[in-house]
């Protein structure tokens, strides 16, 4: 019987030997290249639209000591940097529009991970003639309404949300007309509007004027169920990012 067992053992060894995997024969370079082409599926579709003031007063100094236009450029760049480091970076689409006495599309709706934002200039004052003193925000909002609603319709069967971020120092020419369009945006259940006031360094000596401008721009912002709103007079990118987190809480979280 022991001889039969020995024969059986040799057969098993012989069989298992034929099935051994030779890892040295695998082309690891080709494998790595194939894996690098794999992309994580989108978990949600979050549109972020920056609507930025490009009038002459945006060339004046803001609270940080640099021009308000440059503050905007720095802020948007930092926000995009942060989003690109998110595990959900392929779930964001970005658009940037500037407004003064005319409209300028700086960036049409584009998926975040396809944007080389280092080549873009997000300082809105560089797109208009110096001295434009009034914002015709209403005309730009017409464009934003159409593009945002089309985006939501296109992705209506997916986890989808839009956040419109209006950045301005508040001297809006056709305020009532602009507010009418903002309210139209806010009526859409999947659109949130955030407003950011870029305060002027010279307002420190005119508290009443600053409060009046804050009050008007706050009217643009959406309200949360807890009573808080999506308004800030802090140009800090992290503060604006908090608005983004609140906006997309129904579909995902930003890491």
């Amino acid at each position: 019987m022991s001889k039969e067992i020995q024969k059986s053992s040799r057969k098993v060894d012989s069989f298992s030997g034929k099935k051994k995997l030779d890892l040295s024969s695998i082309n690891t370079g080709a494998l790595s290249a194939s894996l690098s082409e794999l992309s994580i599926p989108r978990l949600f579709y979050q549109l972020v639209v920056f609507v930025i003031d490009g009038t002459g007063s945006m060339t004046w100094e803001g609270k940080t000591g640099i021009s308000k236009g440059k503050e905007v450029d720095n802020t948007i760049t930092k926000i995009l940097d942060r989003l690109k480091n998110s595990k959900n970076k392929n779930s964001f689409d970005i658009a940037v529009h500037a407004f003064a006495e005319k409209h300028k599309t700086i960036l049409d709706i584009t998926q975040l991970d396809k944007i080389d934002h280092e080549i873009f200039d997000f300082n809105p004052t560089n797109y208009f003639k110096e001295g434009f003193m009034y914002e015709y925000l209403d005309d730009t909002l017409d464009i934003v309404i159409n593009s945002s609603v089309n985006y939501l319709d296109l992705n209506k069967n997916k986890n989808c949300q839009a956040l419109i971020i209006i950045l301005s120092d508040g001297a809006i020419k056709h305020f009532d007309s602009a507010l009418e369009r903002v309210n139209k945006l806010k009526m859409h259940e999947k659109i949130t509007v955030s407003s950011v006031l870029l305060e002027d360094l010279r307002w420190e000596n005119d508290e009443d004027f600053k409060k009046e401008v804050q009050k008007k721009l706050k009217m643009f912002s959406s309200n949360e169920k807890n009573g808080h709103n999506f308004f800030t007079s802090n140009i800090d990118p992290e503060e604006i990012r908090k608005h983004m987190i609140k906006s997309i809480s129904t579909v995902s979280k930003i890491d």
Side-chain angles (χ1 to χ4, degrees), residues 97-130:
H97 298 273
F99 59 92
E101 292 186 1
K102 59 182 180 179
H103 166 265
K104 171 67 178 180
T105 296
I106 298 175
L107 176 66
D108 214 343
I109 297 176
T110 306
Q111 193 169 332
L112 172 68
D113 56 4
K114 296 180 180 178
I115 300 173
D116 181 2
H117 60 278
E118 293 183 358
I119 68 173
F120 282 96
D121 180 2
F122 297 118
N123 184 339
T125 63
N126 291 335
Y127 294 92
F128 303 107
K129 295 178 181 178
E130 186 177 354

Side-chain angles (χ1 to χ4, degrees), residues 77-101:
T77 298
K78 289 178 181 178
I79 290 173
L80 296 186
D81 277 336
R82 180 63 189 271
L83 290 180
K84 283 195 171 186
N85 289 321
S86 166
K87 65 182 179 181
N88 294 319
K89 63 183 179 180
N90 68 336
S91 296
F92 291 91
D93 297 293
I94 309 295
V96 182
H97 298 273
F99 59 92
E101 292 186 1

Side-chain angles (χ1 to χ4, degrees), residues 155-218:
N155 300 295
K156 61 183 178 181
N157 296 322
K158 302 164 185 171
N159 289 331
C160 188
Q161 184 82 7
L163 173 64
I164 316 301
I165 305 176
I166 301 172
L167 301 100
S168 172
D169 63 3
I172 297 171
K173 179 73 171 178
H174 298 151
F175 179 82
D176 290 339
S177 180
L179 182 60
E180 179 182 341
R181 286 157 172 79
V182 168
N183 287 337
K184 184 175 181 179
L185 282 165
K186 291 193 290 186
M187 287 177 64
H188 198 294
E189 62 179 358
K190 290 191 174 184
I191 295 179
T192 302
V193 180
S194 167
S195 58
V196 181
L197 176 63
L198 293 117
E199 295 187 7
D200 198 292
L201 194 62
R202 292 170 292 183
W203 294 356
E204 293 179 356
N205 298 322
D206 195 343
E207 193 66 25
D208 290 339
F209 177 79
K210 182 168 70 173
K211 288 181 178 179
E212 182 63 26
V213 177
Q214 287 177 340
K215 180 181 177 180
K216 290 182 69 175
L217 208 62
K218 188 180 290 186

